[in-house]
Amino acid sequence: MFVSVAVNIPSEKTFSYAVPETLHEEISIGKRVLAPFGKRRLTGYIVEISKSAPREDTKEIIEILDLEPLFNETDLKFYRWVCQYYMYPPGRALAEILPGGIDPKSDQWISVAKEEQERPDGRMSPSQRRILDTLTQHPDGISLAHLKKMFGKKDVTRDVNSLKSTGLITTEYRTKKPQVSRKKEKIITLNIRNLNALKLTKKQHFLVDLLRGHGSLPLSALRAQFTCSPSAIKTLEQKGIISLTEEEVSRHHGQSPDLGIRGKTITPNEDQECALREIVKGLESARFSPYLLHGVTGSGKTEVYLNAIEKALAMNGGVIYLVPEIALTPLLISRFNKRFPALEKAVLHSGISRAARYDQWRRIQRGEIRVVIGARSAVFAPVRDLKLIIVDEEHDTSYKQDDRMKYNARDLAIMRAKLNAATVIAGSATPAIQTYFNTMKGKQTNLILPKRVEDRPLPEVDIIDMKKELGGDDQAVSPVLSRALQKAIGETLENKQQTLLFLNRRGFHTFIFCLDCGHAFQCPNCAVSMTYHAGEDTLKCHYCDFAIKLTPSCPGCHGNRIRSYGLGTERLAEEINKLFPEARIGRMDSDTMIRKGAYENILRSLYTHDIDILVGTQMIAKGHDFPGVTLVGVISADTSLNIPDFRAAERTFQLLTQVSGRGGRGAFPGRVIIQTFNPHHYAITRARDHDYLRFYEDELALRHTLAYPPFSRLINLHLSSSKKEKGLEGLERLKHIMRTLAPATTPQGKVEIIGPAESPIAKIKGKYRWQLLIKGSDIGAVKNLAKEILSKASVTGLDIRVDVDPINFM
Ligand code: ADP
Ligand code: ZN
């Protein structure tokens, strides 16, 4: 018997191993094994079982690490597709997808040679002697890592090598204890019922009596009842009266917080009914059925999801419910619990412990838990009989994983549904351009909820032109609050209602614009905003590396009032505090939300009206329902408009629509004030008019002109290096490689290479970063070119990661 194993190394290949007789029975796809790999021992996942091996000299696996598989063949089919699509090594991908922290790492251990050797003390250096003496005191050996800690890195390796060559010490690879392993418990079972003939001590009698009542008991429970010595148990076991076995138990995971939301029964309205009827058709067809649930904010999309889940469960199906990020869970969970009080569900997100995740994972794979709610990685959960996947706020950027394997969970949800002949609902008030494009092509059914529930009005949106606001005075004014917004906040406070102030600070702190015409500098080649580099006083395009010196006059209107603008939530909160000293102000951004429970606390105090004004980043834009909020202020719509990305307008429209949607959900009508230097930009005016369709048309026309997705396919190669000079040298070599490539034209059309250029964030965690875009109409051709570059890329010395843009489905 042989197995193919995907090992956690950067290789596309899987490796063949022989299975020793003794392990035959335990072998199954989806289990981890420990296997020799060169001089090391590595863990890998069994992905295939076969009778023969491709080579004669296959090595044997050492150990099987799981009692039960972590995935089955259907899951594997999906996982395989994922790593192929994202051009990611399968062993790496599995290690990332599956619950983490369970890889026993192997390390080199050093010990004194068993056979007595004569110590040539005279010829040993003092440091070698010290190492040998230390090892002598530790007959079981010491790990190399530990030795290095004790004696310093360089010398140890050299000394160990020379000691080894004289035969005084030996080295071997041993695994450390895994960080998380299955938790087992000892179970005692009574074997013999008729105990009359047996001679027992008093204690043994007591124990046997206890067991007679229960049949079997966990050892820990016994210990809680009375003190029994291990020897008493051992004696009973030796006599065959009881037997001891090990069984797996599940770790308890923390109870999810309940926000105490009042549950009311809701009858779906006509639009909701209509959408549901379609979804039920999909579920009953038992065929792949992809839907877009396009409903304005507050139109009752969540109700539709919950009803669809109920249907899927009634059909004995499994469900995955994806939400943008941990930010959304407490609220959702509490709503979910109200709806399905008895249902057991798994909540998977980065906040739960690895151990709990491991336990949940296996209960899901066994089919004990049928509903999984979670952030993006939950799309990989091994749910059995998967019938329904929901992707709430499908346009949200947090579905995109940006480090390691760069996948988009929304796209994967659709692919997974396809492989499982399941139904998938992607819901949003502002669908991604790509998604809406799919519905236009008839690839995804569009279900529409055009109105807010109970005919509540959409909020009134005003746009404030900050250029006028800053007026004639030439001083650098802090453009924080317009008079209109200031007045509105005052009124809201007086009416004892609540205000949300929204500032998108993520990414780029400052941008350069013209105070007269609002001109923000864009690359003439790529139509993305250029970024200011203070050191060189230049503006740079992060797609093609085009750069210009910052001119003192504006290319748009030739005015000379060029300004930079940047502001953070912290300073905003201070400003507000000065203006409204009597108001109770809360702040919500990733800096303040680090503390556990901070998020729930802020949400709760918003509900209980212990906060009058909440200042925050886009965290507050996510689908919350704040009944007391009647005013929403957007401090600067320009911050997201000016990110150097061709999706900047799309993001801006989405953000503005989402934040606006937070207002006026309760009894009072809502009001929204958007401050901007670009009051006529279509992303802003269409958001004011709540007009998704017109925005889509504007944006699509632009994408078409510039051949951006969905009219082309993009692969972004992220290049990085910890040394700048080495990185730049690598870039030169890369450019050379690119010149040697076959002319980038295929029968399907042209493939373009743009860049390399510095990344928008040029340095992260000590790594210098660049990017290279490959663009073309045919994904196959784009991928082939990427593969060709990758195959030759090792000479560049750069770390290269592949980022494949959204999938065009079906
Ligand atoms: P969305 O997800 O589209 O933003 P929700 O599903 O959160 O909207 O619904 C918004 C609010 O309206 C919630 O408080 C919900 O309980 C309520 N709601 C949903 N459907 C109905 C309905 N048919 N009748 C009355 N209230 C409803
Ligand atoms: Zn450019």
Side-chain angles (χ1 to χ4, degrees):
M1 187 188 248
F2 298 90
V3 286
S4 297
V5 176
V7 182
N8 184 0
I9 56 159
S11 163
E12 288 198 24
K13 276 188 276 181
T14 54
F15 298 85
S16 247
Y17 289 96
V19 182
E21 275 293 330
T22 49
L23 297 178
H24 275 195
E25 271 186 22
E26 275 189 66
I27 285 289
S28 144
I29 282 181
K31 285 186 180 179
R32 288 171 308 145
V33 295
L34 188 66
F37 196 84
K39 281 189 175 168
R40 293 176 291 170
R41 306 160 120 197
L42 293 178
T43 47
Y45 302 88
I46 303 176
V47 294
E48 213 181 303
I49 302 170
S50 54
K51 291 217 166 69
S52 61
R55 329 169 4 160
E56 301 238 305
D57 58 341
T58 44
K59 293 188 188 154
E60 283 192 343
I61 57 169
I62 299 161
E63 206 183 318
I64 297 175
L65 299 171
D66 292 297
L67 288 176
E68 300 165 75
L70 292 169
F71 52 85
N72 70 12
E73 287 193 56
T74 320
D75 303 322
L76 182 62
K77 217 161 115 191
F78 173 57
Y79 300 158
R80 274 188 209 272
W81 186 90
V82 173
C83 30
Q84 235 195 351
Y85 187 83
Y86 291 109
M87 301 169 75
Y88 205 75
R92 281 266 146 103
L94 288 177
E96 283 181 24
I97 288 168
L98 301 169
I102 45 177
D103 267 1
K105 296 262 185 320
S106 83
D107 191 16
Q108 205 172 357
W109 283 68
I110 325 263
S111 33
V112 187
K114 294 257 160 20
E115 310 87 64
E116 287 276 315
Q117 302 271 343
E118 201 183 327
R119 286 173 61 149
D121 272 349
R123 271 177 286 133
M124 258 193 280
S125 72
S127 61
Q128 287 177 2
R129 197 170 313 143
R130 263 207 311 277
I131 291 175
L132 199 58
D133 288 345
T134 311
L135 286 171
T136 316
Q137 285 162 23
H138 294 85
D140 291 336
I142 297 178
S143 78
L144 183 60
H146 195 79
L147 268 185
K148 280 181 180 169
K149 254 188 227 150
M150 294 167 79
F151 295 105
K153 258 188 187 146
K154 271 193 218 131
D155 297 351
V156 164
T157 319
R158 203 180 45 228
D159 288 341
V160 162
N161 283 339
S162 77
L163 284 170
K164 196 175 158 188
S165 68
T166 58
L168 284 168
I169 61 169
T170 57
T171 65
E172 64 169 327
Y173 279 90
R174 287 188 208 160
T175 40
K176 275 192 253 170
K177 246 179 108 66
Q179 287 166 297
V180 173
S181 56
R182 25 186 219 223
K183 188 175 172 195
K184 285 191 233 158
E185 193 156 41
K186 282 218 167 74
I187 307 284
I188 303 183
T189 311
L190 189 63
N191 294 333
I192 301 170
R193 291 267 146 192
N194 187 354
L195 299 162
N196 294 338
L198 297 168
K199 266 198 229 141
L200 296 171
T201 65
K202 225 172 154 190
K203 272 221 157 136
Q204 289 171 341
H205 239 302
F206 188 76
L207 193 123
V208 167
D209 274 345
L210 243 171
L211 280 173
R212 232 193 312 216
H214 294 86
S216 62
L217 274 174
L219 187 57
S220 58
L222 265 182
R223 289 232 165 94
Q225 300 254 4
F226 76 117
T227 47
C228 61
S229 65
S231 71
I233 291 173
K234 200 154 193 187
T235 319
L236 285 173
E237 193 189 7
Q238 277 164 356
K239 288 184 176 163
I241 299 168
I242 59 166
S243 57
L244 277 171
T245 50
E246 274 193 327
E247 271 178 34
E248 232 183 295
V249 291
S250 276
R251 265 164 284 244
H252 254 347
H253 51 279
Q255 201 59 40
S256 35
D258 195 315
L259 290 169
I261 293 168
R262 312 153 300 279
K264 56 174 188 215
T265 33
I266 289 169
T267 339
N269 61 31
E270 218 166 284
D271 296 324
Q272 288 168 321
E273 279 290 358
C274 197
L276 268 170
R277 267 199 301 277
E278 282 299 315
I279 293 165
V280 170
K281 268 190 226 162
L283 287 169
E284 282 172 350
S285 77
R287 274 201 298 264
F288 171 49
S289 313
Y291 297 99
L292 165 65
L293 183 62
H294 184 194
V296 297
T297 52
S299 59
K301 292 185 288 297
T302 313
E303 275 314 303
V304 174
Y305 304 146
L306 295 178
N307 280 310
I309 292 173
E310 200 176 314
K311 284 278 181 323
L313 289 173
M315 297 164 81
N316 280 324
V319 176
I320 297 178
Y321 187 171
L322 298 180
V323 290
E325 59 187 32
I326 173 166
L328 217 83
T329 17
L331 200 73
L332 180 80
I333 300 302
S334 103
R335 213 165 146 183
F336 197 92
N337 287 343
K338 291 258 146 67
R339 182 64 173 264
F340 303 105
L343 181 72
E344 209 181 344
K345 67 202 171 300
V347 182
L348 296 178
H349 56 75
S350 53
I352 58 171
S353 77
R354 286 200 256 185
R357 186 177 160 85
Y358 181 56
D359 289 344
Q360 299 251 44
W361 191 274
R362 279 161 317 122
R363 295 197 57 208
I364 297 164
Q365 126 78 27
R366 285 199 290 258
E368 289 171 20
I369 299 179
R370 285 155 63 213
V371 178
V372 174
I373 305 178
R376 61 177 177 243
S377 65
V379 76
F380 299 112
V383 173
R384 300 284 73 104
D385 304 311
L386 186 60
K387 242 187 151 14
L388 175 66
I389 308 180
I390 289 161
V391 189
D392 188 22
E393 310 283 0
E394 63 89 32
H395 64 277
D396 197 283
T397 46
S398 72
Y399 284 124
K400 176 86 191 270
Q401 168 149 301
D402 254 335
D403 55 349
R404 297 166 295 156
M405 184 166 70
K406 294 169 180 291
Y407 65 88
N408 186 319
R410 180 255 334 256
D411 294 349
L412 291 187
I414 294 179
M415 198 57 208
R416 182 144 191 218
K418 193 175 178 185
L419 290 174
N420 286 262
T423 296
V424 54
I425 311 171
S428 175
T430 54
I433 294 289
Q434 178 72 57
T435 305
Y436 206 78
F437 188 74
N438 286 346
T439 68
M440 289 311 213
K441 295 257 153 194
K443 292 174 175 177
Q444 210 165 329
T445 309
N446 193 3
L447 309 170
I448 304 168
L449 304 179
K451 297 191 303 281
R452 281 193 159 181
V453 295
E454 296 174 331
D455 283 323
R456 289 176 205 159
L458 282 164
E460 193 72 31
V461 182
D462 289 320
I463 298 175
I464 305 296
D465 184 351
M466 291 305 278
K467 297 195 300 291
K468 286 195 190 136
E469 211 43 44
L470 298 180
D473 96 76
D474 214 16
Q475 302 277 303
V477 197
S478 142
V480 179
L481 286 193
S482 60
R483 282 158 297 178
L485 184 51
Q486 209 166 314
K487 186 159 162 267
I489 296 173
E491 285 165 8
T492 309
L493 276 174
E494 257 167 48
N495 293 338
K496 306 233 177 313
Q497 291 158 2
Q498 293 167 300
T499 300
L500 292 186
L501 289 180
F502 175 78
L503 180 68
N504 179 22
R505 188 200 49 168
R506 227 166 77 182
F508 308 92
H509 290 230
T510 46
F511 62 95
I512 307 283
F513 68 99
C514 166
L515 196 52
D516 291 317
C517 70
H519 180 91
F521 292 78
Q522 286 215 321
C523 170
N525 308 321
C526 308
V528 299
S529 288
M530 311 226 294
T531 306
Y532 180 59
H533 289 244
E536 305 143 60
D537 203 31
T538 53
L539 290 160
K540 268 193 194 165
C541 169
H542 286 299
Y543 278 13
C544 72
D545 228 15
F546 176 82
I548 50 166
K549 271 255 175 281
L550 183 62
T551 50
S553 70
C554 167
C557 70
H558 306 290
N560 59 2
R561 301 197 297 167
I562 306 293
R563 292 281 176 277
S564 67
Y565 181 75
L567 177 71
T569 40
E570 199 177 339
R571 237 197 77 208
L572 176 61
E574 276 168 29
E575 293 271 345
I576 304 293
N577 197 15
K578 262 188 243 153
L579 289 166
F580 304 101
E582 76 282 14
R584 295 162 298 174
I585 298 167
R587 178 155 75 93
M588 172 141 82
D589 54 32
S590 40
D591 299 337
T592 54
M593 290 300 118
I594 295 165
R595 218 160 19 87
K596 224 179 159 200
Y599 186 79
E600 287 83 357
N601 285 342
I602 283 250
L603 281 187
R604 201 174 287 119
S605 33
L606 205 61
Y607 275 103
T608 52
H609 205 144
D610 290 314
I611 290 178
D612 298 310
I613 303 173
L614 180 61
V615 173
T617 57
Q618 63 248 58
M619 272 180 119
I620 64 176
K622 299 274 158 68
H624 301 300
D625 209 356
F626 302 126
V629 172
T630 56
L631 174 66
V632 174
V634 178
I635 300 299
S636 169
D638 308 278
T639 35
S640 65
L641 211 47
N642 288 306
I643 53 172
D645 186 323
F646 73 91
R647 290 201 173 86
E650 182 178 351
R651 300 261 176 276
T652 304
F653 178 83
Q654 285 163 348
L655 275 169
L656 293 179
T657 307
Q658 295 293 330
V659 276
S660 308
R662 297 312 117 215
R665 291 197 156 210
F668 305 99
R671 189 174 169 203
V672 179
I673 293 178
I674 298 175
Q675 305 187 148
T676 176
F677 293 103
N678 293 282
H680 304 297
H681 193 286
Y682 65 96
I684 295 172
T685 55
R686 300 300 187 212
R688 171 195 59 202
D689 302 338
H690 309 289
D691 196 344
Y692 177 83
L693 281 185
R694 298 284 283 282
F695 170 76
Y696 172 76
E697 282 163 11
D698 293 345
E699 179 66 15
L700 207 69
L702 205 73
R703 299 269 181 99
H704 191 252
T705 314
L706 295 159
Y708 278 129
F711 298 101
S712 65
R713 310 300 310 277
L714 275 183
I715 287 185
N716 194 343
L717 296 183
H718 294 257
L719 320 165
S720 64
S721 169
S722 46
K723 294 227 170 63
K724 194 164 188 177
E725 298 77 51
K726 264 180 79 184
L728 290 172
E729 274 169 38
L731 283 191
E732 283 312 312
R733 271 180 229 133
L734 184 67
K735 283 180 195 162
H736 181 77
I737 292 171
M738 281 165 9
R739 280 194 288 274
T740 66
L741 294 177
T745 317
T746 64
Q748 296 93 340
K750 226 175 85 194
V751 181
E752 238 184 300
I753 300 181
I754 307 166
E758 204 169 67
S759 290
I761 304 172
K763 192 179 173 192
I764 294 180
K765 291 181 189 152
K767 282 204 157 180
Y768 294 87
R769 305 160 83 240
W770 297 268
Q771 58 181 3
L772 179 77
L773 288 178
I774 306 172
K775 183 165 122 178
S777 53
D778 177 63
I779 184 67
V782 172
K783 272 188 144 173
N784 281 341
L785 191 65
K787 271 190 197 139
E788 217 175 321
I789 293 178
L790 284 175
S791 71
K792 295 173 183 158
S794 56
V795 298
T796 63
L798 289 162
D799 182 26
I800 303 187
R801 309 221 157 181
V802 188
D803 187 354
V804 185
D805 219 53
I807 300 170
N808 258 328
F809 276 99
M810 305 158 271

